[in-house]
Amino acid sequence: QVQVAESGGGLVQPGGSLRLSCAASGFIDRIYDMAWHRQAPGKQRELVAFITSTGTTGYVDSVKGRTTISRGDAKNTVYLQMNSLKPEDTAVYYCKMEIQIGPSFKYYWGQGTQVTVSS
């Protein structure tokens, strides 16, 4: 069994900051690419940021310059540091990991963590 779980969401005022965390547990051989997605009510889920196993990162334009994705010292963790938060950042944020277990490569999703930016 593999489990991916996010944490760190909550209510924050505009201009504030949050650091979202995601950790995978279970019998895992390797974790490759990691990513954060988000979905606001009534909208499609969108990719926010990704980081590859070689350290390459990418961001959606709306969060560039104020958001950083990083791998933790623990190999099974990934973070999303968000600064200067805006009301339009309000969404459920999901962690996605590409995980190898034996000969199987699959994408695993966390349950999501709510981020609400409001005064």
Side-chain angles (χ1 to χ4, degrees), residues 46-110:
E46 69 170 346
L47 174 67
V48 178
F50 70 86
I51 183 166
T52 71
S53 59
T54 58
T56 299
T57 60
Y59 303 90
V60 67
D61 286 344
S62 60
V63 306
K64 285 181 179 178
R66 59 188 182 92
T67 301
T68 303
I69 187 171
S70 61
R71 288 176 177 262
D73 291 337
K75 191 177 180 181
N76 65 333
T77 60
V78 63
Y79 301 99
L80 189 72
Q81 177 69 45
M82 303 190 71
N83 304 318
S84 302
L85 284 161
K86 305 174 181 180
E88 50 263 46
D89 293 319
T90 296
V92 177
Y93 284 70
Y94 297 91
C95 173
K96 185 181 78 173
M97 296 187 179
E98 184 184 11
I99 297 175
Q100 180 185 3
I101 305 172
S104 178
F105 293 79
K106 295 181 178 180
Y107 291 101
Y108 291 82
W109 292 85

Side-chain angles (χ1 to χ4, degrees), residues 12-31:
V12 63
Q13 294 187 52
S17 298
L18 284 175
R19 186 178 70 167
L20 307 182
S21 301
C22 180
S25 61
F27 297 102
I28 299 169
D29 288 333
R30 284 195 65 178
I31 300 177

